[in-house]
Amino acid sequence: MSWFKQHAVAYGAKPRLTDRPFRLVLLSHGSGATPSAIEWLAYGLAQQGFVVLAVHHHGHTGSEPYRAEGFLCMWERARDLSSLLSDSIWQRALGAPIDDQVDVAGFSAGAYTAMLLMGARVAYSQFEPDNPVKSPIRGPREFPDLVDELTKLQSHKVFRESWDRRRDSYADSRIARALVIAPGRSVLGFDIDSLQRIRKPILLIVGDADTVASPQECCQWLHDSVPESQSQIIGGGVGHYTFLSEGTAEGERAAPELFADGQGLKRRAVHRRVVALASEFFA
C-alpha cells in the first residue's frame, strides 16, 4: 500500500498521435523516495500533453532497501537519467515520436540531479570531511547516521570508483531546461564556477516555510549563482514536504511529518500552481 495518493491512470494506453513530436520531461524523485511521491507533477504535465519518464534511483529509493552508497554518491543519479534517455526500449513501447529537446524536473535530491544534468559539477560531497560547508546534520531523514558510513565504504572498490569521479561532468547536452524544486543543502557543494557557466534556462521553485532546505540558504544561493535561472518562492506557509503527493491513511500513520501542512494550506492547490508554472516554462 502506497503512502501517497495516486491519480487514476490507464495502464498500457497508447498516446494520441499528432503531427508534432511529444516533449519529454525526465523526473527525479527526492532522497529515499519513489516516483509516486511526485506523481502529481507527472500527472499534471501529462494532462498538458507532455510525456513524463521517471526512475527509481538505485540505493536511494524507497522501493528497495536503502544503501549508503546511494545516499553518498548522488552524482550517479544523473547517470541514471542519461542512461534512461539513451535506452530505446521505452521509446518503442511508447510508440510515439519524441522531440529532440528534452527537459528535466526534480524535487529535493532530484533537484540536485537536475542541476548536474544542466552542468553543475561537484566540488564537495555534502558529508565529506573536507567540505568547508559543514552540514548541521549527520545524514538525511532516511539515513540519519550516513556520515559514519563514508569511512566504512572507503575500502570498497566499486564505491571508490564512484567516489573518485564525483567531480566529473554529468551534463547532458540533450536536456534543454530544468525545473528545480526545493533544492536541499547538497547543492551547496557545487563548484561555483560550474554554476556560473550554465547558460540553459532553469526555474527554481521553493516554499516560503521550508525548514528542511532554507529558501535563502539553498534556493537563493543557486539563483544568485546561475545567470539564466528564474526563482519562484511560493508563499502561504509552503514547506519542503508540501511538494510531495497527498498522503493515504497509511502514509499519514507511518510518517505524519510528511503530510502535516500549515493550517489552511491546500497541498493540491500548491501542486496545481507548480504544474501551471512548469507547463509554461517547458512549453
Side-chain angles (χ1 to χ4, degrees):
M1 181 72 177
S2 174
W3 286 7
F4 302 101
K5 292 180 180 178
Q6 308 288 294
H7 291 85
V9 296
Y11 286 100
K14 295 297 181 183
R16 183 179 297 170
L17 299 180
T18 68
D19 57 356
R20 299 182 62 184
F22 286 95
R23 193 65 178 261
L24 174 67
V25 179
L26 301 175
L27 197 59
S28 181
H29 63 71
S31 179
T34 65
S36 63
I38 46 174
E39 178 268 354
W40 59 269
L41 180 56
Y43 183 86
L45 288 172
Q47 291 291 96
Q48 298 299 317
F50 294 89
V51 169
V52 184
L53 201 62
V55 299
H56 294 261
H57 293 291
H58 177 52
H60 207 195
T61 170
S63 63
E64 62 185 25
Y66 293 150
R67 296 182 65 95
E69 301 94 316
F71 284 79
L72 289 167
C73 300
M74 287 173 52
W75 41 91
E76 299 293 352
R77 295 168 56 110
R79 299 177 76 198
D80 291 343
L81 292 182
S82 288
S83 296
L84 182 65
L85 187 54
S86 299
D87 193 330
S88 62
I89 295 176
W90 66 266
Q91 296 184 43
R92 290 197 300 270
L94 179 66
I98 294 294
D99 195 282
D100 290 338
Q101 294 294 301
V102 177
D103 300 315
V104 64
F107 162 71
S108 195
Y112 181 92
T113 307
M115 290 302 305
L116 288 169
L117 291 166
M118 289 292 100
R121 297 180 72 153
V122 175
Y124 297 98
S125 181
Q126 183 178 357
F127 297 106
E128 67 176 288
D130 293 339
N131 190 345
V133 182
K134 301 303 179 187
S135 177
I137 58 175
R138 296 176 57 78
R141 172 186 172 276
E142 301 82 9
F143 214 124
D145 59 348
L146 182 63
V147 69
D148 298 329
E149 299 296 319
L150 182 55
T151 303
K152 300 176 186 176
L153 286 167
Q154 294 298 329
S155 61
H156 293 202
K157 180 177 181 291
V158 173
F159 174 79
R160 284 296 314 180
E161 289 175 352
S162 177
W163 187 258
D164 289 344
R165 61 172 178 262
R166 66 192 182 282
R167 295 188 172 95
D168 290 357
S169 174
Y170 295 98
D172 194 319
S173 62
R174 297 169 293 181
I175 300 178
R177 296 174 179 82
L179 174 64
V180 175
I181 302 174
R185 287 183 55 83
S186 55
V187 302
L188 301 178
F190 283 144
D191 173 71
I192 188 71
D193 290 338
S194 72
L195 296 176
Q196 292 175 345
R197 288 193 294 269
I198 296 173
R199 292 295 182 268
K200 294 181 178 182
I202 292 173
L203 175 59
L204 302 159
I205 294 179
V206 68
D208 64 333
D210 192 328
T211 58
V212 174
S214 164
Q216 291 72 32
E217 186 178 19
C218 301
C219 189
Q220 187 62 46
W221 181 80
L222 268 185
H223 179 46
D224 292 341
S225 302
V226 180
E228 299 297 323
S229 67
Q230 307 170 48
S231 179
Q232 180 85 39
I233 298 178
I234 300 183
V238 174
H240 194 73
Y241 299 122
T242 305
F243 296 108
L244 296 180
S245 298
E246 293 179 294
T248 61
E250 181 172 338
E252 291 175 355
R253 283 193 301 269
E257 69 276 12
L258 299 183
F259 307 104
D261 294 317
Q263 186 174 5
L265 181 66
K266 302 296 184 184
R267 185 171 291 202
R268 188 173 299 181
V270 174
H271 293 171
R272 283 198 296 265
R273 182 174 178 187
V274 174
V275 168
L277 289 169
S279 299
E280 181 179 1
F281 176 64
F282 289 145

